[in-house]
Amino acid sequence: MSHLSREDVAHVAMLARIQLEDAELDRLAAQLDQIVDWVGQVGEVASDDVPPMSHPMPLANVTRPDEVRESLTVQQALANAPQAQDDRFAVPRILDEE
């Protein structure tokens, strides 16, 4: 069972460049001490027969088969474009040429 002191919290706060009031140091010392204890309890429960995991549920990628199919013609794709030039969308220049 760990016991984080007020001085421990003040030291960490100083390293993180966080200014804390006296009341905040007292409150955070108690809260952080509780958190450290809880993390320790999780470590006690972990067993060698339980594999480490990054997610509690199995993840599966939902994909569709990559099949060739009809697509839009150039004219159809550019039909609603505000501006087109040389069978391409024309957009405002955002970078200067150098």
Side-chain angles (χ1 to χ4, degrees):
M1 192 168 177
S2 69
H3 293 287
L4 289 176
S5 69
R6 188 176 186 276
E7 290 73 28
D8 293 331
V9 175
H11 180 70
V12 171
M14 184 270 307
L15 292 174
R17 309 254 193 281
I18 299 172
Q19 292 182 346
L20 297 174
E21 302 292 327
D22 289 340
E24 292 174 311
L25 286 172
D26 293 332
R27 188 185 54 173
L28 288 173
Q31 290 175 350
L32 290 173
D33 196 44
Q34 240 183 346
I35 291 170
V36 170
D37 285 343
W38 290 333
V39 170
Q41 289 176 13
V42 170
E44 292 171 8
V45 173
S47 175
D48 291 337
D49 62 339
V50 177
M53 64 179 92
S54 64
H55 199 277
M57 304 296 289
L59 299 176
N61 227 356
V62 179
T63 58
R64 62 172 173 76
D66 191 13
E67 298 171 350
V68 177
R69 54 186 183 171
E70 274 193 51
S71 60
L72 298 175
T73 65
V74 173
Q75 292 75 23
Q76 290 171 322
L78 296 174
N80 293 321
Q83 291 183 323
Q85 180 181 1
D86 299 327
D87 289 338
R88 298 181 186 162
F89 292 99
V91 296
R93 180 182 306 271
I94 59 169
L95 301 174
D96 291 330
E97 287 187 32
E98 291 186 26

